[in-house]
Amino acid sequence: IASKPRVTTGEDANALIDKSIRPKLHLASLLMADEGLREIEVRRLRWENIDLGNETMAVSGKGDKLRVLPLFTRRIVDALKEAEKESGYVIPGRQGGMISRGTISSELAELGEDVLGKRTPGHSLRHGWACRASEANVPVQSIQAALGHSSLSITSHYMSGLKDNVESVRK
Protein backbone atom coordinates (compact mmCIF):
# COMPACT_ATOMS: atom_id res chain seq x y z
CA ILE A 1 0.00 0.00 0.00
CA ALA A 2 1.76 3.10 -1.21
CA SER A 3 0.39 6.62 -1.02
CA LYS A 4 -2.03 8.23 1.37
CA PRO A 5 -5.61 7.77 0.11
CA ARG A 6 -7.67 10.64 -1.25
CA VAL A 7 -10.58 11.33 1.06
CA THR A 8 -13.73 13.20 0.13
CA THR A 9 -15.04 15.03 3.18
CA GLY A 10 -18.69 14.74 4.15
CA GLU A 11 -19.24 18.34 3.08
CA ASP A 12 -17.75 17.72 -0.38
CA ALA A 13 -19.63 14.42 -0.74
CA ASN A 14 -22.90 16.20 0.06
CA ALA A 15 -22.12 18.91 -2.49
CA LEU A 16 -21.52 16.26 -5.17
CA ILE A 17 -24.67 14.36 -4.25
CA ASP A 18 -26.77 17.54 -4.22
CA LYS A 19 -25.45 18.60 -7.66
CA SER A 20 -25.68 15.22 -9.38
CA ILE A 21 -28.85 15.87 -11.33
CA ARG A 22 -28.76 12.66 -13.37
CA PRO A 23 -30.72 10.14 -11.24
CA LYS A 24 -28.28 7.28 -11.88
CA LEU A 25 -25.25 9.35 -10.87
CA HIS A 26 -27.10 10.70 -7.83
CA LEU A 27 -27.90 7.18 -6.63
CA ALA A 28 -24.42 5.86 -7.45
CA SER A 29 -22.77 8.69 -5.50
CA LEU A 30 -25.08 8.01 -2.54
CA LEU A 31 -24.16 4.33 -2.57
CA MET A 32 -20.46 5.19 -2.56
CA ALA A 33 -20.63 8.05 -0.02
CA ASP A 34 -23.29 6.71 2.38
CA GLU A 35 -22.64 2.97 2.10
CA GLY A 36 -18.91 2.91 1.33
CA LEU A 37 -19.33 0.79 -1.80
CA ARG A 38 -16.69 0.32 -4.48
CA GLU A 39 -17.61 1.27 -8.05
CA ILE A 40 -17.68 -2.42 -9.05
CA GLU A 41 -20.09 -3.15 -6.19
CA VAL A 42 -22.39 -0.34 -7.33
CA ARG A 43 -22.18 -1.66 -10.90
CA ARG A 44 -23.08 -5.22 -9.79
CA LEU A 45 -25.87 -4.23 -7.40
CA ARG A 46 -29.21 -5.69 -8.43
CA TRP A 47 -32.69 -4.86 -7.17
CA GLU A 48 -33.16 -8.44 -5.99
CA ASN A 49 -30.32 -7.81 -3.49
CA ILE A 50 -32.08 -4.86 -1.86
CA ASP A 51 -34.56 -5.46 0.94
CA LEU A 52 -36.25 -2.13 1.57
CA GLY A 53 -38.54 -3.69 4.19
CA ASN A 54 -35.57 -4.64 6.37
CA GLU A 55 -33.44 -1.77 5.06
CA THR A 56 -30.56 -4.03 4.06
CA MET A 57 -28.70 -4.96 0.90
CA ALA A 58 -26.50 -7.85 -0.13
CA VAL A 59 -23.34 -6.65 -1.85
CA SER A 60 -21.10 -8.76 -4.06
CA GLY A 61 -17.57 -7.62 -3.21
CA LYS A 62 -14.09 -8.59 -4.29
CA GLY A 63 -13.73 -12.28 -4.98
CA ASP A 64 -17.53 -12.42 -5.23
CA LYS A 65 -17.74 -12.43 -1.43
CA LEU A 66 -21.25 -11.53 -0.38
CA ARG A 67 -21.85 -9.25 2.60
CA VAL A 68 -25.12 -7.92 3.95
CA LEU A 69 -25.15 -4.25 4.93
CA PRO A 70 -27.76 -2.10 6.59
CA LEU A 71 -28.91 0.89 4.59
CA PHE A 72 -27.02 3.39 6.72
CA THR A 73 -28.90 6.62 5.99
CA ARG A 74 -32.48 7.71 5.50
CA ARG A 75 -31.54 9.45 2.25
CA ILE A 76 -30.25 6.21 0.73
CA VAL A 77 -33.45 4.39 1.74
CA ASP A 78 -35.57 7.17 0.24
CA ALA A 79 -33.48 7.32 -2.95
CA LEU A 80 -33.78 3.56 -3.47
CA LYS A 81 -37.55 3.67 -2.90
CA GLU A 82 -37.91 6.49 -5.44
CA ALA A 83 -35.54 5.07 -8.06
CA GLU A 84 -36.84 3.73 -11.36
CA LYS A 85 -36.60 -0.01 -11.50
CA GLU A 86 -36.17 -0.18 -15.27
CA SER A 87 -33.68 -3.03 -15.15
CA GLY A 88 -32.44 -5.75 -12.85
CA TYR A 89 -29.49 -3.48 -12.05
CA VAL A 90 -29.87 -0.59 -9.61
CA ILE A 91 -27.55 1.50 -11.82
CA PRO A 92 -28.06 0.06 -15.30
CA GLY A 93 -26.10 0.82 -18.43
CA ARG A 94 -27.67 2.22 -21.59
CA GLN A 95 -28.95 -1.17 -22.75
CA GLY A 96 -30.27 -2.14 -19.30
CA GLY A 97 -27.33 -4.40 -18.46
CA MET A 98 -24.39 -3.68 -16.20
CA ILE A 99 -23.06 -0.13 -16.57
CA SER A 100 -19.60 0.05 -18.16
CA ARG A 101 -16.48 0.03 -16.03
CA GLY A 102 -15.20 3.52 -15.18
CA THR A 103 -18.40 5.32 -16.20
CA ILE A 104 -19.44 6.24 -12.65
CA SER A 105 -15.94 7.30 -11.60
CA SER A 106 -15.35 9.42 -14.69
CA GLU A 107 -18.72 11.17 -14.30
CA LEU A 108 -18.02 11.80 -10.60
CA ALA A 109 -14.56 13.14 -11.43
CA GLU A 110 -16.05 15.59 -13.95
CA LEU A 111 -18.77 16.61 -11.50
CA GLY A 112 -16.07 17.19 -8.88
CA GLU A 113 -14.32 19.59 -11.26
CA ASP A 114 -17.55 21.50 -11.83
CA VAL A 115 -18.77 21.58 -8.22
CA LEU A 116 -15.59 21.48 -6.12
CA GLY A 117 -12.99 22.75 -8.55
CA LYS A 118 -11.06 19.45 -8.38
CA ARG A 119 -11.37 15.99 -9.88
CA THR A 120 -12.94 13.70 -7.33
CA PRO A 121 -12.19 10.01 -7.76
CA GLY A 122 -15.19 7.83 -7.00
CA HIS A 123 -13.12 5.72 -4.63
CA SER A 124 -12.44 8.81 -2.50
CA LEU A 125 -16.14 8.71 -1.50
CA ARG A 126 -15.53 5.22 -0.07
CA HIS A 127 -12.45 6.44 1.78
CA GLY A 128 -14.49 9.36 3.11
CA TRP A 129 -17.19 7.00 4.37
CA ALA A 130 -14.58 5.00 6.30
CA CYS A 131 -13.11 8.15 7.83
CA ARG A 132 -16.52 9.51 8.84
CA ALA A 133 -17.41 6.15 10.41
CA SER A 134 -14.14 6.24 12.35
CA GLU A 135 -14.82 9.83 13.47
CA ALA A 136 -18.25 8.66 14.69
CA ASN A 137 -16.44 6.09 16.89
CA VAL A 138 -17.59 3.06 14.92
CA PRO A 139 -15.24 0.21 15.89
CA VAL A 140 -12.60 -0.40 13.24
CA GLN A 141 -13.61 -4.08 13.00
CA SER A 142 -17.16 -2.99 12.08
CA ILE A 143 -15.79 -0.61 9.46
CA GLN A 144 -13.62 -3.43 8.09
CA ALA A 145 -16.65 -5.74 7.84
CA ALA A 146 -18.82 -3.07 6.18
CA LEU A 147 -16.11 -2.32 3.61
CA GLY A 148 -15.51 -6.02 2.95
CA HIS A 149 -11.80 -5.80 3.72
CA SER A 150 -10.00 -9.08 4.39
CA SER A 151 -7.29 -7.32 6.38
CA LEU A 152 -7.44 -4.72 9.14
CA SER A 153 -4.30 -3.11 7.68
CA ILE A 154 -6.24 -2.14 4.54
CA THR A 155 -8.95 -0.51 6.66
CA SER A 156 -6.30 1.32 8.69
CA HIS A 157 -4.78 2.62 5.44
CA TYR A 158 -8.17 4.12 4.55
CA MET A 159 -8.11 6.06 7.82
CA SER A 160 -4.59 7.35 7.14
CA GLY A 161 -6.14 9.91 4.81
CA LEU A 162 -7.13 11.88 7.90
CA LYS A 163 -3.77 11.97 9.68
CA ASP A 164 -2.53 15.25 8.20
CA ASN A 165 -5.94 16.77 7.67
CA VAL A 166 -6.68 18.56 10.94
CA GLU A 167 -9.73 20.38 9.54
CA SER A 168 -11.33 17.15 8.39
CA VAL A 169 -10.77 15.57 11.81
CA ARG A 170 -12.29 18.65 13.44
CA LYS A 171 -15.45 18.32 11.30
Side-chain angles (χ1 to χ4, degrees):
I1 302 175
S3 63
K4 186 169 69 169
R6 293 173 87 179
V7 175
T8 299
T9 65
E11 187 177 290
D12 285 353
N14 288 336
L16 287 173
I17 291 163
D18 292 344
K19 298 294 181 186
S20 45
I21 54 176
R22 278 196 44 236
K24 288 180 193 175
L25 184 59
H26 178 81
L27 187 52
S29 59
L30 274 173
L31 288 164
M32 296 169 91
D34 286 12
E35 294 291 327
L37 299 188
R38 299 172 178 100
E39 180 181 9
I40 184 63
E41 294 167 341
V42 172
R43 291 178 52 232
R44 288 180 182 165
L45 190 60
R46 299 181 64 83
W47 286 111
E48 65 198 41
N49 298 109
I50 299 197
D51 182 348
L52 289 170
N54 290 316
E55 297 188 356
T56 61
M57 68 177 161
V59 176
S60 176
K62 281 188 175 177
D64 290 326
K65 288 185 268 176
L66 202 62
R67 65 187 190 280
V68 177
L69 297 174
L71 299 177
F72 291 116
T73 64
R74 177 58 33 207
R75 69 181 178 177
I76 194 71
V77 172
D78 292 344
L80 287 166
K81 283 180 180 176
E82 294 170 12
E84 286 188 37
K85 291 152 183 83
E86 62 193 57
S87 161
Y89 289 97
V90 175
I91 312 292
R94 288 194 176 118
Q95 306 298 320
M98 187 185 295
I99 193 168
S100 300
R101 182 178 183 205
T103 300
I104 296 167
S105 286
S106 64
E107 289 186 23
L108 279 171
E110 288 176 25
L111 183 63
E113 280 186 11
D114 293 343
V115 174
L116 306 172
K118 60 185 175 187
R119 288 185 70 77
T120 306
H123 209 69
S124 70
L125 294 172
R126 178 175 162 84
H127 287 270
W129 179 88
C131 290
R132 288 188 301 282
S134 178
E135 291 167 352
N137 296 317
V138 174
V140 70
Q141 293 86 352
S142 297
I143 297 169
Q144 175 188 2
L147 293 172
H149 287 159
S150 58
S151 161
L152 199 53
S153 66
I154 295 169
T155 307
S156 296
H157 175 67
Y158 272 49
M159 262 61 93
S160 72
L162 284 178
K163 285 186 178 162
D164 298 322
N165 191 342
V166 175
E167 188 58 33
S168 183
V169 172
R170 187 175 291 128
K171 287 179 182 177

Short mmCIF file of all heavy atoms in Angstrom, two decimals, residues 3-54:
data_model
loop_
_atom_site.label_atom_id
_atom_site.label_comp_id
_atom_site.label_asym_id
_atom_site.label_seq_id
_atom_site.Cartn_x
_atom_site.Cartn_y
_atom_site.Cartn_z
N SER A 3 0.66 5.24 -1.41
CA SER A 3 0.39 6.62 -1.02
C SER A 3 -0.83 6.75 -0.13
O SER A 3 -1.67 5.86 -0.04
CB SER A 3 0.20 7.46 -2.28
OG SER A 3 -0.93 7.00 -2.97
N LYS A 4 -0.90 7.92 0.52
CA LYS A 4 -2.03 8.23 1.37
C LYS A 4 -3.29 8.33 0.51
O LYS A 4 -3.27 8.94 -0.55
CB LYS A 4 -1.75 9.55 2.10
CG LYS A 4 -2.79 9.92 3.11
CD LYS A 4 -2.33 11.07 3.98
CE LYS A 4 -2.26 12.34 3.17
NZ LYS A 4 -2.06 13.53 3.98
N PRO A 5 -4.40 7.74 0.94
CA PRO A 5 -5.61 7.77 0.11
C PRO A 5 -6.23 9.16 0.02
O PRO A 5 -6.09 9.97 0.93
CB PRO A 5 -6.55 6.81 0.84
CG PRO A 5 -6.08 6.81 2.25
CD PRO A 5 -4.60 7.03 2.19
N ARG A 6 -6.91 9.40 -1.09
CA ARG A 6 -7.67 10.64 -1.25
C ARG A 6 -9.00 10.45 -0.57
O ARG A 6 -9.69 9.45 -0.77
CB ARG A 6 -7.85 10.96 -2.73
CG ARG A 6 -6.51 11.31 -3.39
CD ARG A 6 -6.66 11.44 -4.86
NE ARG A 6 -7.06 12.82 -5.18
CZ ARG A 6 -7.25 13.24 -6.42
NH1 ARG A 6 -7.10 12.40 -7.43
NH2 ARG A 6 -7.58 14.47 -6.66
N VAL A 7 -9.36 11.42 0.27
CA VAL A 7 -10.58 11.33 1.06
C VAL A 7 -11.50 12.48 0.69
O VAL A 7 -11.09 13.64 0.72
CB VAL A 7 -10.25 11.38 2.57
CG1 VAL A 7 -11.52 11.42 3.40
CG2 VAL A 7 -9.37 10.20 2.97
N THR A 8 -12.73 12.17 0.36
CA THR A 8 -13.73 13.20 0.13
C THR A 8 -14.43 13.46 1.45
O THR A 8 -14.98 12.53 2.06
CB THR A 8 -14.76 12.74 -0.94
OG1 THR A 8 -14.06 12.51 -2.16
CG2 THR A 8 -15.82 13.80 -1.16
N THR A 9 -14.39 14.69 1.91
CA THR A 9 -15.04 15.03 3.18
C THR A 9 -16.56 14.89 3.04
O THR A 9 -17.10 14.87 1.93
CB THR A 9 -14.73 16.49 3.58
OG1 THR A 9 -15.33 17.37 2.61
CG2 THR A 9 -13.24 16.74 3.70
N GLY A 10 -17.23 14.82 4.16
CA GLY A 10 -18.69 14.74 4.15
C GLY A 10 -19.31 15.94 3.46
O GLY A 10 -20.28 15.81 2.70
N GLU A 11 -18.74 17.11 3.70
CA GLU A 11 -19.24 18.34 3.08
C GLU A 11 -19.11 18.27 1.56
O GLU A 11 -20.05 18.61 0.83
CB GLU A 11 -18.46 19.52 3.63
CG GLU A 11 -18.96 20.87 3.22
CD GLU A 11 -18.16 21.97 3.89
OE1 GLU A 11 -18.29 22.15 5.11
OE2 GLU A 11 -17.39 22.64 3.17
N ASP A 12 -17.95 17.83 1.07
CA ASP A 12 -17.75 17.72 -0.38
C ASP A 12 -18.63 16.62 -0.97
O ASP A 12 -19.18 16.77 -2.07
CB ASP A 12 -16.27 17.45 -0.71
CG ASP A 12 -15.40 18.69 -0.57
OD1 ASP A 12 -15.95 19.79 -0.35
OD2 ASP A 12 -14.17 18.54 -0.67
N ALA A 13 -18.77 15.50 -0.26
CA ALA A 13 -19.63 14.42 -0.74
C ALA A 13 -21.07 14.92 -0.87
O ALA A 13 -21.74 14.65 -1.88
CB ALA A 13 -19.56 13.21 0.20
N ASN A 14 -21.54 15.66 0.13
CA ASN A 14 -22.90 16.20 0.06
C ASN A 14 -23.06 17.17 -1.10
O ASN A 14 -24.10 17.16 -1.76
CB ASN A 14 -23.27 16.88 1.38
CG ASN A 14 -23.50 15.87 2.49
OD1 ASN A 14 -23.82 14.72 2.24
ND2 ASN A 14 -23.33 16.31 3.72
N ALA A 15 -22.05 17.97 -1.36
CA ALA A 15 -22.12 18.91 -2.49
C ALA A 15 -22.22 18.15 -3.80
O ALA A 15 -23.02 18.51 -4.67
CB ALA A 15 -20.89 19.83 -2.50
N LEU A 16 -21.45 17.08 -3.95
CA LEU A 16 -21.52 16.26 -5.17
C LEU A 16 -22.89 15.61 -5.30
O LEU A 16 -23.48 15.61 -6.39
CB LEU A 16 -20.45 15.18 -5.15
CG LEU A 16 -19.01 15.63 -5.39
CD1 LEU A 16 -18.06 14.46 -5.16
CD2 LEU A 16 -18.84 16.19 -6.78
N ILE A 17 -23.38 15.04 -4.22
CA ILE A 17 -24.67 14.36 -4.25
C ILE A 17 -25.78 15.36 -4.59
O ILE A 17 -26.64 15.08 -5.42
CB ILE A 17 -24.93 13.65 -2.90
CG1 ILE A 17 -23.97 12.46 -2.76
CG2 ILE A 17 -26.39 13.21 -2.78
CD1 ILE A 17 -23.83 11.93 -1.35
N ASP A 18 -25.74 16.53 -3.98
CA ASP A 18 -26.77 17.54 -4.22
C ASP A 18 -26.75 18.05 -5.66
O ASP A 18 -27.79 18.43 -6.19
CB ASP A 18 -26.59 18.73 -3.27
CG ASP A 18 -26.91 18.36 -1.83
OD1 ASP A 18 -27.53 17.31 -1.59
OD2 ASP A 18 -26.51 19.13 -0.92
N LYS A 19 -25.58 18.06 -6.29
CA LYS A 19 -25.45 18.60 -7.66
C LYS A 19 -25.53 17.54 -8.74
O LYS A 19 -25.55 17.87 -9.91
CB LYS A 19 -24.14 19.38 -7.81
CG LYS A 19 -24.03 20.58 -6.90
CD LYS A 19 -25.04 21.64 -7.26
CE LYS A 19 -24.87 22.84 -6.34
NZ LYS A 19 -25.88 23.84 -6.53
N SER A 20 -25.59 16.27 -8.36
CA SER A 20 -25.68 15.22 -9.38
C SER A 20 -27.14 15.08 -9.80
O SER A 20 -27.92 14.41 -9.14
CB SER A 20 -25.09 13.89 -8.90
OG SER A 20 -25.50 13.57 -7.61
N ILE A 21 -27.46 15.78 -10.89
CA ILE A 21 -28.85 15.87 -11.33
C ILE A 21 -29.31 14.63 -12.10
O ILE A 21 -30.49 14.34 -12.13
CB ILE A 21 -29.10 17.14 -12.17
CG1 ILE A 21 -28.12 17.23 -13.31
CG2 ILE A 21 -29.04 18.38 -11.29
CD1 ILE A 21 -28.34 18.40 -14.25
N ARG A 22 -28.38 13.91 -12.68
CA ARG A 22 -28.76 12.66 -13.37
C ARG A 22 -29.11 11.63 -12.30
O ARG A 22 -28.29 11.35 -11.42
CB ARG A 22 -27.61 12.15 -14.22
CG ARG A 22 -27.52 12.82 -15.57
CD ARG A 22 -26.66 12.06 -16.55
NE ARG A 22 -26.92 10.64 -16.52
CZ ARG A 22 -25.98 9.72 -16.30
NH1 ARG A 22 -24.74 10.04 -16.14
NH2 ARG A 22 -26.29 8.45 -16.26
N PRO A 23 -30.31 11.06 -12.31
CA PRO A 23 -30.72 10.14 -11.24
C PRO A 23 -29.76 8.99 -10.99
O PRO A 23 -29.50 8.64 -9.84
CB PRO A 23 -32.09 9.62 -11.73
CG PRO A 23 -32.59 10.69 -12.63
CD PRO A 23 -31.37 11.28 -13.30
N LYS A 24 -29.20 8.40 -12.07
CA LYS A 24 -28.28 7.28 -11.88
C LYS A 24 -27.01 7.71 -11.16
O LYS A 24 -26.52 7.02 -10.28
CB LYS A 24 -27.90 6.66 -13.23
CG LYS A 24 -29.01 5.88 -13.87
CD LYS A 24 -28.53 5.32 -15.20
CE LYS A 24 -29.68 4.81 -16.03
NZ LYS A 24 -29.23 4.38 -17.36
N LEU A 25 -26.46 8.87 -11.52
CA LEU A 25 -25.25 9.35 -10.87
C LEU A 25 -25.54 9.75 -9.43
O LEU A 25 -24.73 9.51 -8.53
CB LEU A 25 -24.64 10.53 -11.64
CG LEU A 25 -23.31 11.05 -11.10
CD1 LEU A 25 -22.25 9.95 -11.10
CD2 LEU A 25 -22.82 12.24 -11.90
N HIS A 26 -26.70 10.33 -9.20
CA HIS A 26 -27.10 10.70 -7.83
C HIS A 26 -27.13 9.45 -6.94
O HIS A 26 -26.54 9.44 -5.87
CB HIS A 26 -28.47 11.39 -7.86
CG HIS A 26 -28.98 11.77 -6.52
ND1 HIS A 26 -28.56 12.90 -5.87
CD2 HIS A 26 -29.87 11.16 -5.70
CE1 HIS A 26 -29.17 12.98 -4.70
NE2 HIS A 26 -29.97 11.94 -4.58
N LEU A 27 -27.79 8.41 -7.41
CA LEU A 27 -27.90 7.18 -6.63
C LEU A 27 -26.55 6.50 -6.47
O LEU A 27 -26.20 6.03 -5.39
CB LEU A 27 -28.93 6.24 -7.27
CG LEU A 27 -29.28 4.98 -6.50
CD1 LEU A 27 -29.69 5.28 -5.06
CD2 LEU A 27 -30.38 4.22 -7.23
N ALA A 28 -25.76 6.47 -7.53
CA ALA A 28 -24.42 5.86 -7.45
C ALA A 28 -23.55 6.60 -6.44
O ALA A 28 -22.86 5.97 -5.63
CB ALA A 28 -23.76 5.87 -8.83
N SER A 29 -23.59 7.93 -6.45
CA SER A 29 -22.77 8.69 -5.50
C SER A 29 -23.25 8.48 -4.07
O SER A 29 -22.44 8.40 -3.15
CB SER A 29 -22.73 10.17 -5.88
OG SER A 29 -24.01 10.74 -5.89
N LEU A 30 -24.56 8.33 -3.87
CA LEU A 30 -25.08 8.01 -2.54
C LEU A 30 -24.58 6.65 -2.06
O LEU A 30 -24.19 6.49 -0.90
CB LEU A 30 -26.61 8.01 -2.55
CG LEU A 30 -27.32 9.32 -2.35
CD1 LEU A 30 -28.81 9.15 -2.56
CD2 LEU A 30 -27.04 9.88 -0.97
N LEU A 31 -24.61 5.67 -2.95
CA LEU A 31 -24.16 4.33 -2.57
C LEU A 31 -22.69 4.31 -2.20
O LEU A 31 -22.27 3.58 -1.30
CB LEU A 31 -24.43 3.34 -3.71
CG LEU A 31 -25.91 2.99 -3.91
CD1 LEU A 31 -26.12 2.33 -5.27
CD2 LEU A 31 -26.40 2.09 -2.79
N MET A 32 -21.89 5.13 -2.86
CA MET A 32 -20.46 5.19 -2.56
C MET A 32 -20.19 6.01 -1.30
O MET A 32 -19.37 5.63 -0.46
CB MET A 32 -19.70 5.73 -3.76
CG MET A 32 -19.81 4.80 -4.97
SD MET A 32 -19.22 5.50 -6.50
CE MET A 32 -17.51 4.99 -6.44
N ALA A 33 -20.88 7.14 -1.15
CA ALA A 33 -20.63 8.05 -0.02
C ALA A 33 -21.31 7.60 1.27
O ALA A 33 -20.75 7.76 2.35
CB ALA A 33 -21.08 9.46 -0.37
N ASP A 34 -22.53 7.06 1.18
CA ASP A 34 -23.29 6.71 2.38
C ASP A 34 -23.19 5.24 2.76
O ASP A 34 -23.52 4.87 3.87
CB ASP A 34 -24.77 7.07 2.21
CG ASP A 34 -25.04 8.55 2.30
OD1 ASP A 34 -24.08 9.34 2.28
OD2 ASP A 34 -26.23 8.93 2.39
N GLU A 35 -22.76 4.40 1.82
CA GLU A 35 -22.64 2.97 2.10
C GLU A 35 -21.20 2.48 2.01
O GLU A 35 -20.90 1.36 2.39
CB GLU A 35 -23.50 2.16 1.12
CG GLU A 35 -24.99 2.38 1.29
CD GLU A 35 -25.56 1.81 2.58
OE1 GLU A 35 -25.07 0.76 3.06
OE2 GLU A 35 -26.51 2.40 3.11
N GLY A 36 -20.31 3.30 1.44
CA GLY A 36 -18.91 2.91 1.33
C GLY A 36 -18.65 1.86 0.25
O GLY A 36 -17.66 1.13 0.32
N LEU A 37 -19.50 1.80 -0.77
CA LEU A 37 -19.33 0.79 -1.80
C LEU A 37 -18.26 1.17 -2.81
O LEU A 37 -18.03 2.34 -3.09
CB LEU A 37 -20.65 0.56 -2.56
CG LEU A 37 -21.85 0.07 -1.74
CD1 LEU A 37 -23.00 -0.28 -2.69
CD2 LEU A 37 -21.50 -1.12 -0.87
N ARG A 38 -17.61 0.15 -3.36
CA ARG A 38 -16.69 0.32 -4.48
C ARG A 38 -17.53 0.53 -5.75
O ARG A 38 -18.68 0.10 -5.82
CB ARG A 38 -15.86 -0.94 -4.69
CG ARG A 38 -14.98 -1.35 -3.54
CD ARG A 38 -14.36 -2.73 -3.84
NE ARG A 38 -13.47 -3.13 -2.78
CZ ARG A 38 -13.81 -4.00 -1.80
NH1 ARG A 38 -15.02 -4.54 -1.77
NH2 ARG A 38 -12.94 -4.32 -0.87
N GLU A 39 -16.90 1.11 -6.78
CA GLU A 39 -17.61 1.27 -8.05
C GLU A 39 -18.10 -0.08 -8.57
O GLU A 39 -19.24 -0.20 -9.02
CB GLU A 39 -16.74 1.96 -9.10
CG GLU A 39 -17.47 2.11 -10.41
CD GLU A 39 -16.68 2.76 -11.52
OE1 GLU A 39 -15.47 2.97 -11.37
OE2 GLU A 39 -17.29 3.07 -12.57
N ILE A 40 -17.28 -1.12 -8.53
CA ILE A 40 -17.68 -2.42 -9.05
C ILE A 40 -18.89 -2.96 -8.28
O ILE A 40 -19.77 -3.61 -8.84
CB ILE A 40 -16.51 -3.45 -9.05
CG1 ILE A 40 -16.92 -4.78 -9.69
CG2 ILE A 40 -15.97 -3.70 -7.65
CD1 ILE A 40 -17.30 -4.70 -11.14
N GLU A 41 -18.95 -2.68 -6.99
CA GLU A 41 -20.09 -3.15 -6.19
C GLU A 41 -21.37 -2.41 -6.57
O GLU A 41 -22.44 -3.00 -6.63
CB GLU A 41 -19.78 -2.98 -4.69
CG GLU A 41 -18.66 -3.88 -4.24
CD GLU A 41 -18.11 -3.55 -2.87
OE1 GLU A 41 -18.31 -2.42 -2.37
OE2 GLU A 41 -17.44 -4.43 -2.29
N VAL A 42 -21.24 -1.12 -6.86
CA VAL A 42 -22.39 -0.34 -7.33
C VAL A 42 -22.82 -0.88 -8.69
O VAL A 42 -24.01 -1.06 -8.94
CB VAL A 42 -22.04 1.17 -7.41
CG1 VAL A 42 -23.15 1.95 -8.09
CG2 VAL A 42 -21.75 1.72 -6.02
N ARG A 43 -21.86 -1.15 -9.56
CA ARG A 43 -22.18 -1.66 -10.90
C ARG A 43 -22.90 -3.01 -10.84
O ARG A 43 -23.80 -3.26 -11.62
CB ARG A 43 -20.90 -1.79 -11.73
CG ARG A 43 -20.29 -0.44 -12.10
CD ARG A 43 -18.98 -0.58 -12.89
NE ARG A 43 -19.13 -1.45 -14.03
CZ ARG A 43 -18.32 -2.48 -14.28
NH1 ARG A 43 -17.30 -2.75 -13.50
NH2 ARG A 43 -18.51 -3.22 -15.35
N ARG A 44 -22.51 -3.87 -9.91
CA ARG A 44 -23.08 -5.22 -9.79
C ARG A 44 -24.41 -5.26 -9.04
O ARG A 44 -25.11 -6.25 -9.11
CB ARG A 44 -22.11 -6.13 -9.02
CG ARG A 44 -20.89 -6.53 -9.76
CD ARG A 44 -20.07 -7.42 -8.85
NE ARG A 44 -18.84 -7.83 -9.46
CZ ARG A 44 -17.82 -8.36 -8.78
NH1 ARG A 44 -17.90 -8.55 -7.48
NH2 ARG A 44 -16.73 -8.71 -9.41
N LEU A 45 -24.72 -4.21 -8.30
CA LEU A 45 -25.87 -4.23 -7.40
C LEU A 45 -27.18 -4.38 -8.18
O LEU A 45 -27.46 -3.63 -9.10
CB LEU A 45 -25.89 -2.94 -6.57
CG LEU A 45 -26.89 -2.89 -5.42
CD1 LEU A 45 -26.63 -4.00 -4.41
CD2 LEU A 45 -26.83 -1.53 -4.73
N ARG A 46 -27.94 -5.38 -7.76
CA ARG A 46 -29.21 -5.69 -8.43
C ARG A 46 -30.36 -5.44 -7.46
O ARG A 46 -30.19 -5.54 -6.24
CB ARG A 46 -29.21 -7.14 -8.92
CG ARG A 46 -28.09 -7.41 -9.94
CD ARG A 46 -28.09 -8.83 -10.46
NE ARG A 46 -29.29 -9.16 -11.20
CZ ARG A 46 -29.48 -8.88 -12.49
NH1 ARG A 46 -28.53 -8.26 -13.19
NH2 ARG A 46 -30.59 -9.22 -13.09
N TRP A 47 -31.53 -5.13 -8.00
CA TRP A 47 -32.69 -4.86 -7.17
C TRP A 47 -33.05 -6.04 -6.30
O TRP A 47 -33.51 -5.87 -5.16
CB TRP A 47 -33.88 -4.43 -8.03
CG TRP A 47 -33.72 -3.04 -8.54
CD1 TRP A 47 -33.51 -2.65 -9.83
CD2 TRP A 47 -33.74 -1.84 -7.77
NE1 TRP A 47 -33.38 -1.28 -9.91
CE2 TRP A 47 -33.52 -0.76 -8.65
CE3 TRP A 47 -33.90 -1.56 -6.41
CZ2 TRP A 47 -33.48 0.57 -8.23
CZ3 TRP A 47 -33.85 -0.24 -5.98
CH2 TRP A 47 -33.64 0.80 -6.88
N GLU A 48 -32.83 -7.25 -6.78
CA GLU A 48 -33.16 -8.44 -5.99
C GLU A 48 -32.31 -8.54 -4.72
O GLU A 48 -32.65 -9.29 -3.81
CB GLU A 48 -33.00 -9.71 -6.85
CG GLU A 48 -31.56 -9.96 -7.27
CD GLU A 48 -31.43 -10.93 -8.43
OE1 GLU A 48 -32.24 -10.84 -9.37
OE2 GLU A 48 -30.50 -11.75 -8.39
N ASN A 49 -31.20 -7.80 -4.67
CA ASN A 49 -30.32 -7.81 -3.49
C ASN A 49 -30.65 -6.71 -2.49
O ASN A 49 -29.93 -6.55 -1.49
CB ASN A 49 -28.86 -7.70 -3.93
CG ASN A 49 -28.45 -8.87 -4.79
OD1 ASN A 49 -28.25 -8.70 -5.99
ND2 ASN A 49 -28.37 -10.04 -4.21
N ILE A 50 -31.69 -5.94 -2.76
CA ILE A 50 -32.08 -4.86 -1.86
C ILE A 50 -33.38 -5.23 -1.18
O ILE A 50 -34.35 -5.59 -1.85
CB ILE A 50 -32.21 -3.53 -2.63
CG1 ILE A 50 -30.85 -3.21 -3.22
CG2 ILE A 50 -32.75 -2.44 -1.72
CD1 ILE A 50 -30.61 -1.85 -3.67
N ASP A 51 -33.37 -5.18 0.14
CA ASP A 51 -34.56 -5.46 0.94
C ASP A 51 -34.96 -4.17 1.65
O ASP A 51 -34.45 -3.86 2.73
CB ASP A 51 -34.27 -6.58 1.94
CG ASP A 51 -35.47 -6.98 2.78
OD1 ASP A 51 -36.48 -6.25 2.77
OD2 ASP A 51 -35.38 -8.02 3.46
N LEU A 52 -35.84 -3.41 1.01
CA LEU A 52 -36.25 -2.13 1.57
C LEU A 52 -37.08 -2.30 2.84
O LEU A 52 -37.06 -1.43 3.72
CB LEU A 52 -37.00 -1.29 0.54
CG LEU A 52 -36.12 -0.74 -0.59
CD1 LEU A 52 -36.96 -0.13 -1.69
CD2 LEU A 52 -35.12 0.26 -0.05
N GLY A 53 -37.77 -3.43 2.97
CA GLY A 53 -38.54 -3.69 4.19
C GLY A 53 -37.65 -3.79 5.42
O GLY A 53 -37.95 -3.25 6.48
N ASN A 54 -36.53 -4.49 5.27
CA ASN A 54 -35.57 -4.64 6.37
C ASN A 54 -34.45 -3.62 6.31
O ASN A 54 -33.55 -3.64 7.16
CB ASN A 54 -34.99 -6.06 6.37
CG ASN A 54 -36.01 -7.09 6.76
OD1 ASN A 54 -36.77 -6.89 7.71
ND2 ASN A 54 -36.06 -8.19 6.04
#
